[in-house]
Amino acid sequence: MITDSKKEEIRETADIVEIVGDYVKLKKSGTGFVGLCPFHNEKTPSFHVTPSMGIYKCFGCGESGDVFSFVMAMEGVGFPEALKSLADRYGIDIPDEHVDGDDERTKKREGVYHALKYAGLFFYRHLKENEDAAKARDYLKRRGYDHSIIKKFGLGYAPANSQLLKEATREGIPEEYLAEADLVKPSNRGDGFYDTFRDRLMFPIFNPSGKVIAFAGRILDEDKKAAKYVNSSQTIVYNKSEVVYGVNFSKNEIRKEGEVILVEGYTDVITMHQHGIKNVVASSGTSLTSGQINILQRYGKRIVMIYDADSAGQKAMERGMNIALEEGMEVFLMELPDGEDPDSFVKQFGGESFLDYKRKHAEDFVTFSIHKAEKEGRMESPGDRTAAIRSVLESIALIPEELERQVYVQHLHQQTQKYRKGSDRELFQVLDKILAEKKSQRKFRKRDKQSGPNAPVPHTIGDFSPEPEWSGDSKPVPKKKPHYEKEIIRLMLSYGEKMIKFIGHNVAEDHFEDEELKEFYNDIIVRHVNEEEISVQHYSNREKPYPGLVGDIMLERYSVSEKHAKRTGSEVKRDRNPFKTAKYSMKPLRLHFLERKRRDVTERLKQVSGEEKSKLIKTITKLQQEITRIQKISADELFEDPEFLKSDDTSNFTGKFEYKMKGEN
């Protein structure tokens, strides 16, 4: 097993800002960082990383945790694999002994990752050493790829026979994991497996943190009747609609430039990297999806799309443009000269010429669409002109932000004024009509989904029905933990022994409704009795779910800016009197506990009779009397000041919690 000291070494070494930065474009904010949450779709950043505590928290969906839980969530692995992944990244040696995963699915994912990593090294080694790989090496040489770029992108060669299967099983990798990774397939004869990739140039596909998750294999014999590319099928670690080729190499440059260049092919990406253009990715041989756009949004807001000039490429460009607009990206498009693709253009003219060409010819989607319609003669007849303008308005209607829509409509007005001779009013009228049509379509689609024979009838008031709690794509909003329960834990963590004594004297574990917070409270009490450390740092370094809970409890959604405090000379404190804060948190805690107890007794009342029923009625009466008393009395009156706190110490509390025991000097 990996020792606790080794876990702490990994935790202390791993930079949570760097790790989260693999997936989220972070911006400095006060003592922490903020960005768009990777756990749900959002347009306004609500995801906070606090490096001093080593934790993250999203105030939109509630997700929180530490560096380990983030890796587990992003890569879909268990705790042991997250440890190993971070150890590998930061060069920390860990024991080779087997470590049990959380469950069978986690073990399978880890086994698949291991099989893919082994395959990547296997293909790379065979490209370098196998005699049969000479044609692959010649192909790469003709492409102009040097050793460094081949190594960087992990290019390889898959032998013609099923050699991967033989060597991997000899190394102890089970056939099950090789099959789950789509590295081998079952024989039609039912007598075992064979390699998925044979006699092909191999392109590993990586996730944002640099793990191999799939492969693409290119044929080397052009005369052979076979598909030019064979791609990995969907697996438990690879969803092609949510993968962007090259993003692991490009993410930092995309952040730096604030812009991503989207091309079609793997070789386009590699060639451009070799010529110094590094903010470039490809859509992995698939039509662009919203999942891929969401990945790119983490690193930059602006996208420049370059597609082939053939009809298929143009249709793909239009579809991709609309998806990117709908996801809130700033979209530019560019066509290269006839017969050129990014790979050939950069090889012929160089990286600087490409960047210069992009500066001159990349156009925002409105300008590009109108210029394209002009070139194709679609702005000549009134009917074609109307259709072209309406098509652009339909794209504008996809933009989520109203202000951006207004700006683009005015821009469209300027681009088409010579054809229309009118104002932008007519364009806004058409846009409003398109938006109304889209809203109506969404309403009907929603109604159709709910109109099955067993569909529930929604509760309505007048013509309105209540909106669902969650409108995002990923998952419903989890039940929020009661604020007053989190405050109790926060105070105990923040103010130490005397606060724990005070709260422990007035609060029992069954007062907590949230199970995780109840366990947190119990753990604090046990550690207090045993005179063990109780601190934010301790629980940030503990096992799941404590780091996530610490983030949820200790981080505030809104706080006074440090710059403002320095500028004004003011200091805003959250707890001017922590003792009083505790009272005002314990009151609703006790009140809700009694209300839950009353509801439970009321439910039991329905199932009993006779003497037992009479007892329960008396219990309900007493509970209601106590609830009424608590509702009427102030928190200060409800809880007596503890004997070990002196009133003169607490009345103007502004600093460290240093109440003294009676009799202390």
Side-chain angles (χ1 to χ4, degrees), residues 284-341:
S284 291
T286 65
S287 297
L288 193 64
T289 67
S290 58
Q292 292 169 326
I293 289 294
N294 287 334
I295 289 170
L296 297 177
Q297 268 187 322
R298 297 169 184 169
Y299 311 111
K301 183 174 172 57
R302 188 187 201 195
I303 184 169
V304 179
M305 304 171 71
I306 307 172
Y307 284 89
D308 290 345
D310 60 23
S311 59
Q314 294 299 302
K315 288 179 181 177
M317 180 186 283
E318 187 174 340
R319 285 194 303 271
M321 174 188 80
N322 285 335
I323 290 169
L325 288 171
E326 195 165 15
E327 294 300 324
M329 291 199 82
E330 183 184 358
V331 180
F332 281 70
L333 303 107
M334 184 175 83
E335 285 184 350
L336 292 172
D338 287 346
E340 299 285 358
D341 57 29

Side-chain angles (χ1 to χ4, degrees), residues 471-524:
S471 57
D473 296 330
S474 53
K475 59 183 176 179
V477 174
K479 184 178 179 182
K480 288 187 176 181
K481 298 182 184 299
H483 174 70
Y484 46 87
E485 293 188 10
K486 292 195 294 184
E487 276 289 271
I488 295 294
I489 304 298
R490 181 184 71 80
L491 290 163
M492 295 170 87
L493 289 177
S494 299
Y495 297 108
E497 181 183 357
K498 293 186 174 67
M499 179 62 79
I500 294 169
K501 283 183 180 179
F502 173 56
I503 290 176
H505 179 73
N506 290 284
V507 171
E509 65 174 276
D510 58 359
H511 283 57
F512 286 83
E513 181 180 9
D514 185 271
E515 290 298 325
E516 288 186 330
L517 294 177
K518 181 187 294 186
E519 287 301 317
F520 207 146
Y521 172 82
N522 277 336
D523 196 84
I524 290 174

Side-chain angles (χ1 to χ4, degrees), residues 97-113:
E97 290 90 322
H98 174 71
V99 181
D100 290 334
D102 294 338
D103 52 37
E104 286 303 316
R105 182 171 175 80
T106 297
K107 290 179 183 177
K108 184 180 287 187
R109 292 179 74 95
E110 293 170 3
V112 168
Y113 275 126

Side-chain angles (χ1 to χ4, degrees), residues 140-141 143-147 149-150 155 267 270-271 274 343:
L140 295 172
K141 187 176 180 180
R143 283 276 180 180
Y145 296 156
D146 58 28
H147 171 73
I149 203 74
I150 291 171
L155 305 184
T267 54
I270 298 170
T271 299
Q274 181 156 304
D343 173 71

Side-chain angles (χ1 to χ4, degrees), residues 537-562:
Q537 187 64 38
H538 167 77
Y539 283 104
S540 293
N541 294 338
R542 283 279 295 275
E543 73 280 2
K544 188 178 180 182
Y546 290 109
L549 291 174
V550 169
D552 194 16
I553 291 164
M554 301 303 294
L555 299 184
E556 294 181 85
R557 179 67 169 94
Y558 301 104
S559 59
V560 178
S561 113
E562 291 181 0

